[in-house]
Amino acid sequence: MPLVTSTEMFKKAYAGGYAIGAFNVNNMEIVQGITEACQEEKAPVILQVSKGARAYANHTYLVKLVEAAVIECPDIPIVLHLDHGPDFETCKACIDGGFTSVMIDGSSKSFQDNIALTKKVVEYAHDHGVVVEGELGTLSGIEDEVVVEGEGSYTKPEEVEEFVSKTGVDSLAIAIGTSHGAYKFKPEQCTRNAEGVLVPPALRFDILKEVSKRLPNFPIVLHGSSSVPQEYVKMVNEFGGKMPDAIGVPEDQLREAAKLSVCKINIDSDLRLAMTGTIRKFFAEHPDKFDPREYLKPARANIKELVRHKLVDVLGCAGKA
Ligand code: G3H
Ligand code: 13P
Ligand code: ZN
């Protein structure tokens, strides 16, 4: 099937109590690892491209790689989405250039400026059959090139109805305690469970529930939802890397969110960790090798298995294509 928008996916996900995985893509191996897992697990998927990815790999290469995945994975619906669109021009270039979904990230602007910009993108996108994700509230960490200092700010539930009705957005990203990157929580913010594992503070499910009450049947998006698998953090550290105290969002909390109104869960850092850990290990164990195919092959395979785990155990979207 051709590329689709997320409209039908989100309707089914909302009704079925699961979420669609939105995975960032930057090169061929990442596209292949993700989509092979989705094809085998019969899971719908959103492949998303950031401003940084377009700068790195080039718009056309990324679109063509995703189009190749559409051909190779005939049994699953695939959305091509712009992640953290920074301005109208970037969104327009993606809408004109084959994307079926865009995010306009006006979250660092004032409420009124965010509304005005998001509305402008929605009008253009809808005229071209493309759907739009907006954002209210800011995540701490790095949102593409925008560094948000300190705690970020949680979404204010009392703002969501006005934002959605005035802009016409199709989905809304909210801030409930997730953040971008591999260092989402400091060890001193966490408690230790019986096994000695650090457990971060819970996400603000109270905010999520209040938003959902005010926006019935409306798809909510969670950014910054990597869980930072400790297996890969250890692998990175064991084979020459230095990532002390990398901590992510516990997967059981994401599963809970997916049962509620969260229909799209963004995961990027976990795939980066899997790829980097695997390549570091390969080089340490095979210092004589220099063929990129030899180290990219196990990296791609581990991305695939990690995505499979997310689809089956976290998102609940396996078998929903
Ligand atoms: O939220 C940002 C995504 O992880 C994309 O990151 O801007 O480094 O491509 P990037
Ligand atoms: P992570 O850094 O937690 O993977 O978040 C990715 C994201 O939100 C992309 O928009
Ligand atoms: Zn994000």
Side-chain angles (χ1 to χ4, degrees):
M1 66 184 82
L3 282 172
V4 297
T5 72
S6 48
T7 307
E8 280 308 304
M9 275 185 199
F10 287 168
K11 258 188 215 152
K12 289 188 193 165
Y14 199 105
Y18 61 89
I20 311 296
F23 302 102
N24 289 69
V25 296
N26 292 280
N27 65 20
M28 182 186 76
E29 287 76 12
I30 297 174
V31 172
Q32 289 174 326
I34 297 164
T35 55
E36 283 174 19
C38 293
Q39 169 70 16
E40 285 178 20
E41 295 299 330
K42 301 284 178 284
V45 68
I46 298 171
L47 298 178
Q48 54 186 17
V49 167
S50 68
K51 178 184 171 190
R54 289 176 84 239
Y56 169 75
N58 166 305
H59 176 98
T60 310
Y61 277 95
L62 290 168
V63 171
K64 295 298 166 192
L65 282 172
V66 170
E67 286 175 0
V70 167
I71 293 168
E72 293 297 321
C73 305
D75 303 329
I76 56 166
I78 300 179
V79 173
L80 176 54
H81 173 78
L82 169 66
D83 189 28
H84 293 287
D87 47 41
F88 176 79
E89 291 68 30
T90 308
C91 292
K92 182 177 182 302
C94 290
I95 293 163
D96 296 343
F99 284 46
T100 53
S101 174
V102 293
M103 174 190 192
I104 175 68
D105 184 351
S107 61
S108 60
K109 300 189 185 306
S110 71
F111 184 60
Q112 290 308 331
D113 288 353
N114 189 0
I115 290 180
L117 175 61
T118 305
K119 185 172 189 285
K120 187 175 171 190
V121 172
V122 168
E123 281 167 359
Y124 189 80
H126 285 183
D127 277 349
H128 294 77
V130 169
V131 292
V132 180
E133 173 186 325
E135 180 171 341
L136 269 182
T138 49
L139 278 68
S140 58
I142 298 170
E143 295 205 336
D144 209 326
E145 286 160 12
V146 186
V147 179
V148 182
E149 297 290 349
E151 297 272 291
S153 61
Y154 295 119
T155 302
K156 298 187 183 91
E158 61 275 18
E159 288 184 349
V160 297
E161 292 135 301
E162 184 182 348
F163 185 79
V164 168
S165 66
K166 286 196 172 158
T167 59
V169 277
D170 303 279
S171 61
L172 181 67
I174 63 167
I176 60 166
T178 63
S179 58
H180 291 105
Y183 302 92
K184 300 185 190 300
F185 304 98
K186 297 193 177 75
E188 51 273 25
Q189 289 178 280
C190 304
T191 51
R192 276 193 198 277
N193 69 11
E195 289 84 49
V197 177
L198 286 175
V199 181
L203 298 179
R204 292 289 304 271
F205 279 91
D206 56 325
I207 297 177
L208 172 61
K209 285 177 183 165
E210 183 59 29
V211 166
S212 318
K213 203 153 63 172
R214 289 166 181 264
L215 296 174
N217 292 314
F218 192 82
I220 299 302
V221 177
L222 280 192
H223 282 249
S225 296
S226 276
S227 298
V228 187
Q230 292 302 303
E231 153 203 8
Y232 284 118
V233 175
K234 274 197 198 111
M235 198 184 282
V236 166
N237 290 336
E238 194 180 331
F239 295 104
K242 201 169 178 189
M243 296 187 68
D245 300 329
I247 302 171
V249 181
E251 289 184 335
D252 57 343
Q253 291 193 34
L254 298 171
R255 184 73 204 96
E256 280 313 303
K259 286 181 189 157
L260 302 171
S261 55
V262 171
C263 294
K264 173 175 181 272
I265 292 189
N266 287 11
I267 298 172
D268 183 16
S269 298
D270 284 357
L271 275 48
R272 294 180 180 196
L273 258 177
M275 185 160 214
T276 302
T278 307
I279 292 173
R280 280 192 176 281
K281 181 168 188 278
F282 182 92
F283 282 139
E285 290 174 351
H286 306 279
D288 56 323
K289 303 273 192 194
F290 67 101
D291 181 341
R293 292 171 299 186
E294 290 190 80
Y295 58 84
L296 290 172
K297 196 172 168 182
R300 181 176 59 190
N302 280 348
I303 287 177
K304 180 175 173 180
E305 289 320 307
L306 183 59
V307 169
R308 190 195 305 283
H309 160 66
K310 300 285 181 186
L311 302 173
V312 174
D313 303 317
V314 182
L315 301 158
C317 61
K320 307 293 187 185

